[in-house]
Amino acid sequence: MSYQSFDVTPISGALGAEVHGIDLSIPLSKQTFEEVHEALLDNLVIFFRDQDLTPEQQLSFARRFGGIHLHPYMKGLDDHPEVLAIIKEKDDTRTFGASWHVDQMFTEKPAMGAMLYAKELPPAGGDTLYANMYLAYDALSEGMKDMLTNVKTFAVGDRFKRLGGQSRKDVYKGVSVMANHVKDPGDVKTENEHPLVRTHPETGRKALFIGGHVQRFAGMTDEESAPLLNYLKAHTVRPEFTCRFGWKPGSLAFWDNRCTQHFAVGDYNGSRREMHRVTIQGDRPV
Ligand SMILES: O=C(O)CCC(=O)C(=O)O
Ligand SMILES: [Fe+2]
């Protein structure tokens, strides 16, 4: 695929590409916007380098793709509530997002995508991994695809079983800023069922829709779910379905949350990392 407005360089054989030649601080022309959208659908996650963005500029870029999704549990910046600061301080021992997941999969309408912008990085480490859920689905046998057709997952937003049922506030004790930003979700429904195999609303391709928030299959017990769920969680993140992005200050990643999972690598204890995330509203998975 070639684009008129910029160059696109894939970073792995599975997904992910760097987009060169765009300044995201100025409004994109209609054609450039359409090509960015196309590059996202083609590559699942796209990366921009050397950007210099205020929260307002990052929000303007994001709003071209849809309304802004507010995280049910995490407060945004005081002056820009739609921008979530993801900060790990030097003395923190935990990393936010350090497990394979789909953003806010526990909500009724999980995000369409998210834009993460790097403000401050450790001298080394702090990469983010992404996995291609179309490839994970395509690689299954026909027998398994048939069996999974009508399966639904049950996802929760708090008190995850794999963390012993602890609350977010307790889990995030090792990421001080994030612990301070946890809020009550109020009336937002934070436990939801979704199809395990979803059809991407724009590409029409089937993808496995699974991530760390999934506790079990809907209508089944934990014990019944565990063997196949664990198999699928491991299958979806086989190395050949993934890419790894090395950040620099000013890098921005934009991922399609409908056909990917991601994982923030927590290998930089002793250094500070600060990111700004803006999340775009999605629709109900089908
Ligand atoms: O910090 C990162 O690299 C990713 C964190 C994360 O999971 C997110 O922003 O959704
Ligand atoms: Fe995430």
Side-chain angles (χ1 to χ4, degrees):
M1 182 79 205
S2 71
Y3 303 89
Q4 287 182 5
S5 317
F6 43 73
D7 290 325
V8 172
T9 315
I11 69 160
S12 89
L15 78 167
E18 288 199 15
V19 172
H20 299 283
I22 303 191
D23 177 354
L24 301 177
S25 70
I26 46 185
L28 305 184
S29 68
K30 184 167 177 291
Q31 176 177 343
T32 306
F33 162 73
E34 282 168 3
E35 290 196 348
V36 169
H37 191 181
E38 196 57 45
L40 177 72
L41 296 180
D42 288 347
N43 296 284
L44 292 61
V45 51
I46 48 180
F47 307 102
F48 303 85
R49 296 288 193 184
D50 303 317
Q51 302 296 320
D52 186 5
L53 298 175
T54 62
E56 204 42 69
Q57 288 165 337
Q58 190 178 352
L59 278 166
S60 303
F61 176 48
R63 285 196 189 103
R64 297 292 290 271
F65 293 87
I68 304 304
H69 169 110
L70 297 178
H71 198 299
Y73 289 99
M74 305 302 300
K75 274 199 273 270
L77 299 178
D78 286 340
D79 48 352
H80 290 95
E82 307 102 319
V83 179
L84 186 62
I86 297 183
I87 297 175
K88 182 171 172 183
E89 297 291 1
K90 210 155 65 64
D91 297 328
D92 286 341
T93 51
R94 267 196 95 88
T95 305
F96 182 83
S99 61
W100 284 105
H101 65 280
V102 172
D103 283 337
Q104 289 90 66
M105 192 177 161
F106 50 85
T107 56
E108 255 177 299
K109 294 180 177 175
M112 168 271 188
M115 292 175 180
L116 191 63
Y117 173 59
K119 306 267 296 174
E120 183 178 343
L121 293 164
D127 292 356
T128 306
L129 312 179
Y130 296 88
N132 179 331
M133 294 301 103
Y134 296 132
L135 284 185
Y137 175 75
D138 292 343
L140 296 173
S141 65
E142 290 309 310
M144 180 61 90
K145 286 180 188 156
D146 283 349
M147 194 174 88
L148 299 183
T149 305
N150 293 315
V151 174
K152 291 197 166 195
T153 58
F154 174 73
V156 303
D158 202 356
R159 302 192 177 276
F160 308 116
K161 277 199 291 258
R162 83 186 143 78
L163 300 174
Q166 286 182 89
S167 71
R168 274 187 190 250
K169 252 206 147 58
D170 286 337
V171 171
Y172 293 164
K173 275 203 176 117
V175 243
S176 45
V177 175
M178 306 316 277
N180 287 331
H181 288 177
V182 174
K183 64 171 186 176
D184 190 304
D187 294 339
V188 179
K189 190 167 172 248
T190 58
E191 299 194 346
N192 282 283
E193 294 182 4
H194 295 299
L196 173 59
V197 179
R198 77 179 288 186
T199 303
H200 192 288
E202 297 187 85
T203 64
R205 290 183 68 187
K206 285 186 179 171
L208 280 172
F209 194 49
I210 196 166
H213 302 111
V214 173
Q215 305 291 290
R216 57 177 171 77
F217 297 124
M220 297 189 205
T221 64
D222 291 343
E223 292 73 16
E224 287 167 339
S225 307
L228 183 53
L229 193 55
N230 292 339
Y231 167 76
L232 289 173
K233 283 188 179 177
H235 164 80
T236 52
V237 297
R238 272 164 43 184
E240 63 270 32
F241 304 150
T242 71
C243 72
R244 179 173 187 134
F245 183 62
W247 298 90
K248 295 195 177 83
S251 302
L252 182 139
F254 179 15
W255 60 90
D256 188 333
N257 195 51
R258 303 165 293 188
C259 51
T260 58
Q261 288 188 76
H262 58 279
F263 184 121
V265 182
D267 59 352
Y268 56 97
N269 286 358
S271 300
R272 190 174 189 280
R273 181 176 182 267
E274 176 173 351
M275 318 290 274
H276 276 180
R277 192 180 95 187
V278 174
T279 313
I280 299 153
Q281 287 170 6
D283 39 26
R284 188 188 297 274
V286 285

